[in-house]
Amino acid sequence: MLRRPAPRSRRPAPVQAPRVVSTAREAVRAIRLQVRTAHVLGMTPREVERAVEWAESGWRVALALLGAGEPCGFTVVLGSGAVLEWTVRPVNRLELRVPAVHHRSEADA
């Protein structure tokens, strides 16, 4: 989840660290849980209504998009004008790099 101080702000601040999950369903479920509790961050009544609507049924479109290999997300505007944004991007292959480990040989000892 990212937070922008204003709708056109170019510098979003992460509210929490990005996560990697194993399935599209798991990713959408995580967003649904966060969207349902985001009202405490100061959403307007209209945005609360939109968030509840998305969490109840709109998430199905997000799941279909992810299933088709497309990114998806959801955005709300807080009463202060700040913007909360959830984004999910499907990854077909994730490369994990492990730092090289140098083993000491008997000659180094």
Side-chain angles (χ1 to χ4, degrees):
M1 174 176 25
L2 295 175
R3 184 178 192 278
R4 298 176 188 276
R8 301 207 191 282
S9 177
R10 294 179 188 225
R11 295 205 156 195
V15 175
Q16 64 184 174
R19 294 177 22 190
V20 176
V21 295
S22 57
T23 67
R25 187 169 293 280
E26 189 178 341
V28 170
R29 183 177 183 278
I31 293 175
R32 287 177 70 203
L33 290 172
Q34 290 176 11
V35 165
R36 284 181 177 153
T37 59
H39 68 280
V40 299
L41 298 173
M43 289 192 305
T44 64
R46 172 66 186 124
E47 291 296 271
V48 169
E49 186 178 312
R50 280 186 58 244
V52 168
E53 183 179 310
W54 188 90
E56 294 299 319
S57 61
W59 63 270
R60 291 181 179 99
V61 174
L63 189 59
L65 285 169
L66 289 171
E70 296 293 325
C72 65
F74 185 71
T75 303
V76 294
V77 179
L78 304 180
S80 66
V83 176
L84 290 179
E85 179 181 320
W86 292 266
T87 305
V88 180
R89 291 176 188 83
V91 177
N92 292 329
R93 192 170 103 198
L94 183 62
E95 182 178 326
L96 301 175
R97 295 180 183 232
V98 178
V101 177
H102 298 288
H103 295 284
R104 292 179 56 182
S105 65
E106 289 182 28
D108 293 337

Short mmCIF file of all heavy atoms in Angstrom, two decimals, residues 14-41:
data_model
loop_
_atom_site.label_atom_id
_atom_site.label_comp_id
_atom_site.label_asym_id
_atom_site.label_seq_id
_atom_site.Cartn_x
_atom_site.Cartn_y
_atom_site.Cartn_z
N PRO A 14 5.57 4.38 1.08
CA PRO A 14 4.98 3.07 1.42
C PRO A 14 4.42 3.08 2.84
O PRO A 14 5.07 3.55 3.76
CB PRO A 14 6.13 2.10 1.30
CG PRO A 14 7.35 2.88 0.98
CD PRO A 14 6.99 4.32 0.88
N VAL A 15 3.20 2.59 2.99
CA VAL A 15 2.59 2.46 4.31
C VAL A 15 3.07 1.17 4.95
O VAL A 15 3.22 1.07 6.15
CB VAL A 15 1.06 2.50 4.20
CG1 VAL A 15 0.40 2.24 5.54
CG2 VAL A 15 0.62 3.84 3.63
N GLN A 16 3.33 0.18 4.12
CA GLN A 16 3.91 -1.07 4.57
C GLN A 16 4.78 -1.62 3.45
O GLN A 16 4.64 -1.25 2.29
CB GLN A 16 2.85 -2.07 5.00
CG GLN A 16 1.96 -2.53 3.92
CD GLN A 16 0.88 -3.46 4.45
OE1 GLN A 16 0.02 -3.81 3.69
NE2 GLN A 16 0.87 -3.87 5.69
N ALA A 17 5.69 -2.50 3.81
CA ALA A 17 6.62 -3.05 2.84
C ALA A 17 5.89 -3.89 1.80
O ALA A 17 4.90 -4.55 2.12
CB ALA A 17 7.67 -3.91 3.55
N PRO A 18 6.35 -3.86 0.54
CA PRO A 18 5.75 -4.72 -0.49
C PRO A 18 5.89 -6.18 -0.10
O PRO A 18 6.83 -6.56 0.60
CB PRO A 18 6.58 -4.42 -1.74
CG PRO A 18 7.25 -3.12 -1.47
CD PRO A 18 7.43 -3.04 0.01
N ARG A 19 4.93 -6.98 -0.54
CA ARG A 19 4.95 -8.41 -0.22
C ARG A 19 4.90 -9.23 -1.51
O ARG A 19 4.37 -8.78 -2.51
CB ARG A 19 3.72 -8.78 0.61
CG ARG A 19 3.72 -8.16 1.96
CD ARG A 19 2.48 -8.46 2.77
NE ARG A 19 1.73 -9.63 2.38
CZ ARG A 19 0.55 -9.94 2.85
NH1 ARG A 19 -0.03 -9.16 3.73
NH2 ARG A 19 -0.08 -11.01 2.46
N VAL A 20 5.40 -10.43 -1.44
CA VAL A 20 5.28 -11.40 -2.51
C VAL A 20 4.42 -12.52 -1.97
O VAL A 20 4.71 -13.07 -0.91
CB VAL A 20 6.66 -11.95 -2.95
CG1 VAL A 20 6.50 -13.03 -3.99
CG2 VAL A 20 7.54 -10.82 -3.45
N VAL A 21 3.34 -12.83 -2.68
CA VAL A 21 2.46 -13.91 -2.26
C VAL A 21 2.39 -14.94 -3.39
O VAL A 21 2.71 -14.64 -4.53
CB VAL A 21 1.05 -13.40 -1.89
CG1 VAL A 21 1.11 -12.51 -0.66
CG2 VAL A 21 0.41 -12.67 -3.04
N SER A 22 1.96 -16.13 -3.07
CA SER A 22 2.04 -17.22 -4.04
C SER A 22 0.90 -17.30 -5.04
O SER A 22 1.05 -17.88 -6.10
CB SER A 22 2.17 -18.56 -3.30
OG SER A 22 1.09 -18.73 -2.44
N THR A 23 -0.26 -16.71 -4.72
CA THR A 23 -1.40 -16.80 -5.66
C THR A 23 -2.10 -15.45 -5.80
O THR A 23 -2.02 -14.59 -4.92
CB THR A 23 -2.44 -17.83 -5.17
OG1 THR A 23 -3.04 -17.33 -3.96
CG2 THR A 23 -1.84 -19.20 -4.95
N ALA A 24 -2.81 -15.30 -6.91
CA ALA A 24 -3.60 -14.09 -7.15
C ALA A 24 -4.68 -13.95 -6.08
O ALA A 24 -4.94 -12.87 -5.57
CB ALA A 24 -4.22 -14.13 -8.54
N ARG A 25 -5.30 -15.06 -5.73
CA ARG A 25 -6.36 -15.04 -4.71
C ARG A 25 -5.83 -14.52 -3.37
O ARG A 25 -6.48 -13.74 -2.69
CB ARG A 25 -6.98 -16.44 -4.56
CG ARG A 25 -8.19 -16.44 -3.65
CD ARG A 25 -8.94 -17.75 -3.73
NE ARG A 25 -9.56 -18.01 -5.00
CZ ARG A 25 -10.73 -17.47 -5.39
NH1 ARG A 25 -11.36 -16.65 -4.60
NH2 ARG A 25 -11.25 -17.77 -6.56
N GLU A 26 -4.64 -14.95 -3.01
CA GLU A 26 -4.02 -14.50 -1.76
C GLU A 26 -3.73 -12.99 -1.80
O GLU A 26 -3.94 -12.28 -0.82
CB GLU A 26 -2.73 -15.29 -1.51
CG GLU A 26 -2.13 -15.07 -0.16
CD GLU A 26 -0.88 -15.91 0.05
OE1 GLU A 26 -0.68 -16.90 -0.67
OE2 GLU A 26 -0.11 -15.56 0.97
N ALA A 27 -3.27 -12.51 -2.94
CA ALA A 27 -2.98 -11.07 -3.09
C ALA A 27 -4.26 -10.24 -2.97
O ALA A 27 -4.30 -9.24 -2.24
CB ALA A 27 -2.31 -10.82 -4.44
N VAL A 28 -5.30 -10.67 -3.65
CA VAL A 28 -6.58 -9.94 -3.59
C VAL A 28 -7.17 -10.01 -2.18
O VAL A 28 -7.71 -9.02 -1.68
CB VAL A 28 -7.56 -10.48 -4.65
CG1 VAL A 28 -8.96 -9.92 -4.46
CG2 VAL A 28 -7.04 -10.16 -6.05
N ARG A 29 -7.04 -11.13 -1.53
CA ARG A 29 -7.54 -11.26 -0.15
C ARG A 29 -6.83 -10.27 0.77
O ARG A 29 -7.47 -9.63 1.61
CB ARG A 29 -7.33 -12.69 0.35
CG ARG A 29 -7.89 -12.91 1.74
CD ARG A 29 -7.73 -14.38 2.16
NE ARG A 29 -8.32 -14.62 3.45
CZ ARG A 29 -7.72 -14.36 4.62
NH1 ARG A 29 -6.51 -13.87 4.65
NH2 ARG A 29 -8.35 -14.61 5.75
N ALA A 30 -5.53 -10.12 0.60
CA ALA A 30 -4.77 -9.18 1.44
C ALA A 30 -5.26 -7.75 1.22
O ALA A 30 -5.43 -6.99 2.18
CB ALA A 30 -3.28 -9.28 1.14
N ILE A 31 -5.51 -7.39 -0.03
CA ILE A 31 -6.03 -6.04 -0.31
C ILE A 31 -7.41 -5.87 0.29
O ILE A 31 -7.71 -4.84 0.89
CB ILE A 31 -6.06 -5.77 -1.83
CG1 ILE A 31 -4.65 -5.70 -2.39
CG2 ILE A 31 -6.80 -4.47 -2.12
CD1 ILE A 31 -4.61 -5.55 -3.89
N ARG A 32 -8.26 -6.86 0.14
CA ARG A 32 -9.62 -6.76 0.70
C ARG A 32 -9.58 -6.51 2.19
O ARG A 32 -10.33 -5.67 2.71
CB ARG A 32 -10.41 -8.03 0.41
CG ARG A 32 -10.83 -8.16 -1.05
CD ARG A 32 -11.55 -9.46 -1.31
NE ARG A 32 -12.86 -9.43 -0.68
CZ ARG A 32 -13.54 -10.53 -0.36
NH1 ARG A 32 -13.04 -11.73 -0.60
NH2 ARG A 32 -14.73 -10.43 0.19
N LEU A 33 -8.72 -7.21 2.90
CA LEU A 33 -8.61 -7.01 4.35
C LEU A 33 -8.15 -5.60 4.67
O LEU A 33 -8.67 -4.95 5.58
CB LEU A 33 -7.65 -8.03 4.95
CG LEU A 33 -8.15 -9.47 4.98
CD1 LEU A 33 -7.03 -10.42 5.41
CD2 LEU A 33 -9.34 -9.60 5.89
N GLN A 34 -7.17 -5.10 3.94
CA GLN A 34 -6.66 -3.75 4.19
C GLN A 34 -7.69 -2.69 3.83
O GLN A 34 -7.85 -1.70 4.55
CB GLN A 34 -5.37 -3.53 3.42
CG GLN A 34 -4.22 -4.33 3.97
CD GLN A 34 -2.96 -4.16 3.15
OE1 GLN A 34 -2.87 -3.29 2.28
NE2 GLN A 34 -1.99 -5.00 3.41
N VAL A 35 -8.38 -2.88 2.70
CA VAL A 35 -9.40 -1.91 2.28
C VAL A 35 -10.52 -1.83 3.31
O VAL A 35 -11.02 -0.75 3.63
CB VAL A 35 -9.95 -2.27 0.88
CG1 VAL A 35 -11.23 -1.52 0.57
CG2 VAL A 35 -8.88 -1.98 -0.18
N ARG A 36 -10.90 -2.98 3.86
CA ARG A 36 -11.99 -2.99 4.86
C ARG A 36 -11.63 -2.23 6.12
O ARG A 36 -12.50 -1.74 6.82
CB ARG A 36 -12.33 -4.43 5.23
CG ARG A 36 -13.13 -5.14 4.18
CD ARG A 36 -13.45 -6.53 4.61
NE ARG A 36 -14.28 -7.18 3.62
CZ ARG A 36 -14.32 -8.47 3.44
NH1 ARG A 36 -13.58 -9.27 4.19
NH2 ARG A 36 -15.10 -8.99 2.52
N THR A 37 -10.36 -2.15 6.44
CA THR A 37 -9.95 -1.45 7.67
C THR A 37 -9.37 -0.06 7.40
O THR A 37 -9.02 0.64 8.34
CB THR A 37 -8.92 -2.28 8.45
OG1 THR A 37 -7.79 -2.50 7.62
CG2 THR A 37 -9.50 -3.61 8.89
N ALA A 38 -9.30 0.35 6.15
CA ALA A 38 -8.68 1.64 5.81
C ALA A 38 -9.51 2.84 6.25
O ALA A 38 -9.00 3.95 6.30
CB ALA A 38 -8.41 1.72 4.30
N HIS A 39 -10.77 2.64 6.60
CA HIS A 39 -11.61 3.76 7.01
C HIS A 39 -11.03 4.49 8.22
O HIS A 39 -11.24 5.68 8.40
CB HIS A 39 -13.04 3.29 7.30
CG HIS A 39 -13.14 2.41 8.50
ND1 HIS A 39 -12.83 1.07 8.44
CD2 HIS A 39 -13.49 2.67 9.78
CE1 HIS A 39 -13.01 0.55 9.65
NE2 HIS A 39 -13.40 1.49 10.47
N VAL A 40 -10.26 3.78 9.03
CA VAL A 40 -9.67 4.42 10.20
C VAL A 40 -8.59 5.43 9.81
O VAL A 40 -8.16 6.23 10.63
CB VAL A 40 -9.08 3.39 11.19
CG1 VAL A 40 -10.15 2.45 11.70
CG2 VAL A 40 -7.93 2.61 10.58
N LEU A 41 -8.17 5.40 8.55
CA LEU A 41 -7.15 6.34 8.08
C LEU A 41 -7.77 7.67 7.62
O LEU A 41 -7.07 8.54 7.16
CB LEU A 41 -6.34 5.72 6.94
CG LEU A 41 -5.56 4.47 7.35
CD1 LEU A 41 -4.92 3.83 6.13
CD2 LEU A 41 -4.50 4.80 8.39
#
